């Protein structure tokens, strides 16, 4: 287009005077011959295309050498051809075509870059970021309330420039009325506005103190961000100003300036316009949008500083393995100095924590990157009597307010390494284990003796009937205490055991149910309760510990028998689901109140029925044991109940 415009100017004769400047004519030569018109036009167009393609392909900086060389060569050719051959090579229009084409191509490239920059800035400005903490107006009022908490505040006002660049109030926090005359209040307001205008103009804090120095004071601070004034803060104190509060006011005003600037930039319309590149107003809007990025970078820097105050060791690594941040606790755990840490990557850091169960850090990192699941291990160091918990996790970000789909899949951001010293916790757990062992050995023996001797004495017919009744009570209570201890020990051992220690074998739950019901038939008949089994056909096996699952079924069926009235039924069903097998125990008992449904799985919790005390025979540990076993097998427990109509307890185990 530039070359065609030059062709039109040349054709109209507007370039004749310039063209003669680059021609040398001998004295005896009256006229210099120009080539045919179509050849001249072809030369002008070719020169423009050559220059435009050079700038487009190589960039202006590299192409300038070729373009300048071509112009110099063309100028020399024009002088020589006109002097010796009396031939006009149309250098002037060709050179003008070269310069115009190169300039317009470079301008187009700058315009495209500017459009992309504008689009990206608009995208960043429109996003709500994770650490913003709420809407701008709410944050302004929160800042004023913070000042009210720490300062003897009478009034605080935030001003922002209006369309005429005059300060107008944007947020205000004021204490109750003080009985000051209205005229004096208006005067104080004008005085405060003038103080703010002077502070904005000077770019620094301005104060107006009482003559005594300890009376009311007014302080005005300019709200500036990236060297640009975006408003002012006026603070009125009913006491004198303490210089030690100056850093506080400076910090709060800086935060308010960032909030103000961000909200102001978001309100501006950043529509794509052809004239944005040459519009000063559009450039100012882009500059305001960049202020959002700068403000967010300033605010989000405190993430790393917050990690420095935690008691756990934290390290953050980019996805290329480079360490971005290590907090002091991690340096201490790895026994590193800051200088040595700068030379390490994530693998070098993890190598410092190698131990028996963690001897291939690269495999752990690869597993985290492949699956997205966190890698967790407990590391034992016998030589230094220390136990550490290691966690390697992939940190991802998902756009808020967007439903999960392939397009909105979590975007990986970085890798996080966390180290926690659990040495003291493990010592407490060992103390707990020792106490349990003490209960197991030291309590069972006297309880067994009490129960045995009580039963022997109760069998002696020479003892009075009332005494034998007391001995029977002693025997029953000692047996209940023994059952409570056994159940408590079983639950505690399950909690402390690693899941891998459970012996899992292929097991058919319908067989377990059938065997359990057969063993509990005498108990049910004694209470005149009918046990009904409803097995499903072709039930697939599950991976489970037969002994533990048998205890689970026995606990559920035993509870159903215990809490059902006479002449009712207890139905046990085995149901095949999509990827699991469910066992249901349904009774026609008293039911569970709604407020107790979520608590029945807790240890020592016992349900109290209306008008009755809690069942003293119950330990409150049976259902806690059921939940521990089922969850350790990767299953879930469920209870449904209605008071007066019965309950249905069920659990699922993953099928093979």
């Amino acid at each position: 287009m530039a070359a065609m415009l030059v062709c039109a100017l040349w054709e109209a004769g507007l370039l004749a005077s310039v063209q003669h400047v680059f021609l040398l004519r001998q004295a005896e030569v009256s006229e210099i011959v120009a080539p045919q018109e179509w050849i001249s036009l072809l030369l002008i167009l070719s020169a423009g295309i050559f220059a435009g393609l050079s700038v487009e392909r190589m960039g202006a900086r590299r192409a300038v050498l070729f373009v300048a060389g071509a112009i110099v060569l063309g100028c020399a050719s024009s002088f020589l051809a006109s002097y010796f051959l009396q031939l006009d090579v149309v250098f002037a229009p060709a050179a003008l075509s070269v310069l115009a084409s190169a300039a317009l191509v470079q301008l187009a490239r700058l315009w495209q870059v500017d459009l992309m920059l504008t689009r990206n800035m608009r995208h960043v400005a429109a996003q709500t970021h994770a650490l913003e903490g709420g809407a701008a107006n709410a944050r302004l009022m929160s800042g004023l309330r913070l000042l009210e908490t720490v300062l003897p505040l009478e009034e605080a006002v935030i001003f922002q420039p209006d369309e005429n660049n005059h300060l107008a109030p944007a947020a205000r926090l004021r204490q109750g009325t003080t009985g000051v005359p209205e005229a004096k209040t208006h005067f104080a307001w004008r005085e405060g506005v003038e103080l703010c205008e002077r502070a904005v103009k000077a770019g620094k804090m301005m104060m107006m103190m009482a003559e005594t120095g300890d009376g009311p004071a007014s302080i005005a601070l300019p709200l500036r961000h990236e060297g640009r004034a975006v408003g002012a803060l006026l603070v009125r104190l009913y006491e004198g100003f303490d210089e030690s509060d100056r850093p506080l006011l400076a910090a709060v005003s800086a935060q308010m300036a960032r909030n103000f600037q961000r909200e102001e930039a978001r309100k501006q319309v950043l529509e794509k316009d052809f004239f944005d590149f040459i519009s000063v107003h559009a450039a100012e809007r882009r500059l305001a949008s960049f202020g959002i990025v700068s403000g967010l970078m300033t605010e989000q820097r405190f993430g790393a500083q917050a990690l420095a105050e935690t008691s756990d060791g934290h390290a953050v690594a980019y996805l290329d393995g480079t360490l971005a941040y290590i907090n002091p606790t991690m340096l201490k755990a790895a026994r590193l100095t800051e200088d040595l840490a700068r030379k390490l990557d994530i693998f070098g850091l993890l190598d410092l924590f190698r131990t028996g169960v963690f001897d291939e850090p690269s495999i752990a990192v690869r597993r985290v990157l492949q699956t997205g699941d966190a890698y967790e291990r407990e590391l034992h160091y016998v030589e230094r009597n220390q136990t550490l918990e290691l966690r390697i996790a992939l940190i991802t970000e998902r756009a808020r307010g967007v439903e999960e789909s392939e397009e909105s899949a979590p975007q990986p951001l970085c890798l996080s390494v966390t180290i926690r010293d659990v040495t003291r916790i493990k010592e407490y757990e060992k103390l707990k284990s020792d106490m349990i062992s003490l209960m197991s050995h030291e309590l069972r023996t006297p309880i067994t003796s009490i129960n045995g001797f009580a039963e022997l004495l109760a069998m002696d017919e020479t003892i009075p009937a009332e005494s034998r009744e007391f001995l029977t009570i002693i025997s029953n209570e000692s047996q209940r205490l023994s059952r409570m201890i056994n159940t408590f020990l079983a639950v505690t051992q399950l909690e402390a055991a690693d899941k891998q220690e459970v012996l899992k074998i292929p097991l058919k739950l319908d067989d377990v149910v059938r065997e359990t019901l057969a063993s509990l038939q005498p108990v049910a008949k004694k209470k005149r309760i009918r046990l009904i089994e409803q097995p499903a056909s072709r039930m697939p096996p599950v991976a489970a510990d037969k002994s533990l699952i048998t205890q689970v079924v026995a606990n559920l069926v035993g509870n159903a028998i215990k809490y059902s009235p006479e002449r009712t039924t207890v139905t046990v069903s085995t149901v095949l689901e999509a990827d699991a097998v469910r066992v249901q125990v349904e009774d026609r008992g008293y039911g569970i109140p709604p407020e107790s449904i979520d608590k029945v799985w807790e240890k020592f919790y016992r349900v109290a029925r209306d008008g009755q005390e809690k069942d003293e025979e119950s330990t409150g540990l049976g259902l806690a044991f059921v939940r521990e076993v089922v969850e350790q097998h990767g299953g879930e427990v469920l209870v449904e109940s209605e008071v007066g109509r019965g309950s249905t307890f069920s659990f699922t185990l993953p099928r093979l």
Side-chain angles (χ1 to χ4, degrees), residues 275-311:
F275 298 103
D276 273 359
F277 180 58
I278 58 176
S279 169
V280 174
H281 182 60
E284 289 177 347
R285 289 184 296 176
R286 291 194 296 274
L287 183 61
S289 298
F290 177 76
I292 292 181
V293 179
S294 175
L296 289 173
M297 291 177 63
T298 300
E299 291 181 357
Q300 298 195 10
R301 279 202 301 265
F302 62 64
Q305 303 305 322
L307 288 178
E309 300 300 323
T310 62
S311 58

Side-chain angles (χ1 to χ4, degrees), residues 276-547:
D276 273 359
F277 180 58
I278 58 176
S279 169
V280 174
H281 182 60
E284 289 177 347
R285 289 184 296 176
R286 291 194 296 274
L287 183 61
S289 298
F290 177 76
I292 292 181
V293 179
S294 175
L296 289 173
M297 291 177 63
T298 300
E299 291 181 357
Q300 298 195 10
R301 279 202 301 265
F302 62 64
Q305 303 305 322
L307 288 178
E309 300 300 323
T310 62
S311 58
D312 295 340
H314 292 280
V316 180
Y318 297 112
L319 295 180
D320 59 4
T322 307
L323 286 175
Y325 174 77
I326 301 179
N327 73 343
T329 309
M330 177 65 79
L331 292 175
K332 182 179 179 181
R335 301 183 179 183
L336 281 174
T337 62
E338 291 187 4
D339 293 336
L340 290 176
R342 294 191 189 99
K343 303 176 183 178
L344 297 178
D345 58 7
I346 186 172
F347 300 106
L349 176 65
L350 293 176
D351 280 339
L352 300 175
F353 296 100
R354 282 178 179 266
T355 185
V357 297
F358 182 66
D359 58 350
E360 291 293 341
S362 59
I363 296 178
V365 174
R366 183 176 65 185
R367 185 184 305 170
V368 172
L369 291 174
Q370 287 175 340
T371 64
D373 298 331
Y375 176 90
E376 296 180 344
R377 284 293 184 273
E378 198 172 88
L379 312 180
H380 302 280
Y381 301 94
V382 179
E383 66 280 1
R384 58 192 191 206
N385 191 26
Q386 188 180 37
T387 302
L388 302 177
E389 280 186 356
L390 168 69
R391 178 183 172 86
I392 307 172
L394 180 65
I395 308 301
T396 59
E397 180 182 41
R398 189 193 307 277
R400 290 189 284 182
V402 179
E403 294 184 0
E404 184 174 354
S405 62
E406 293 183 1
E407 291 77 10
S408 63
Q411 297 298 315
L413 297 178
C414 60
L415 287 166
S416 169
V417 179
T418 304
I419 289 290
R420 174 175 297 175
D421 191 338
V422 293
T423 305
R424 181 168 295 182
I425 295 176
K426 292 300 175 182
E427 291 176 353
Y428 290 155
E429 289 182 354
K430 186 177 183 302
L431 182 61
K432 176 183 175 181
S433 177
D434 293 342
M435 184 187 70
I436 292 172
S437 177
L438 175 67
M439 290 177 61
S440 176
H441 294 87
E442 301 299 329
L443 293 181
R444 282 178 175 176
T445 301
I447 290 175
T448 302
S449 300
I450 292 171
N451 182 46
F453 287 122
E455 288 181 348
L456 286 174
L457 289 173
M459 295 171 60
D460 189 353
E461 296 181 356
T462 61
I463 296 178
E466 184 179 0
S467 299
R468 286 203 302 272
E469 182 181 352
F470 293 158
L471 290 170
T472 302
I473 293 174
I474 293 173
S475 176
N476 292 338
E477 291 300 315
S478 63
Q479 291 177 15
R480 188 168 73 89
L481 183 59
S482 179
R483 290 194 302 271
M484 183 184 297
I485 290 174
N486 291 336
T487 307
F488 173 75
L489 292 175
V491 173
T492 307
Q493 289 169 1
L494 274 173
E495 289 179 342
D498 189 354
K499 293 183 180 181
Q500 296 179 353
E501 295 180 4
V502 177
L503 180 60
K504 295 181 180 180
I505 61 173
L507 185 67
K508 286 194 174 184
L509 289 181
D510 51 347
D511 293 340
V512 174
V513 169
R514 191 175 301 110
E515 294 174 4
T516 305
L517 293 184
S519 64
L520 292 175
Q521 284 291 354
V523 180
K525 288 180 180 179
K526 186 177 181 180
K527 201 174 178 182
R528 299 180 181 180
I529 289 177
R530 184 183 178 194
L531 295 181
I532 300 176
E533 179 190 2
Q534 291 183 345
S537 59
R538 298 183 179 180
M539 190 64 58
V542 298
D545 186 302
K546 183 175 181 179
S547 174

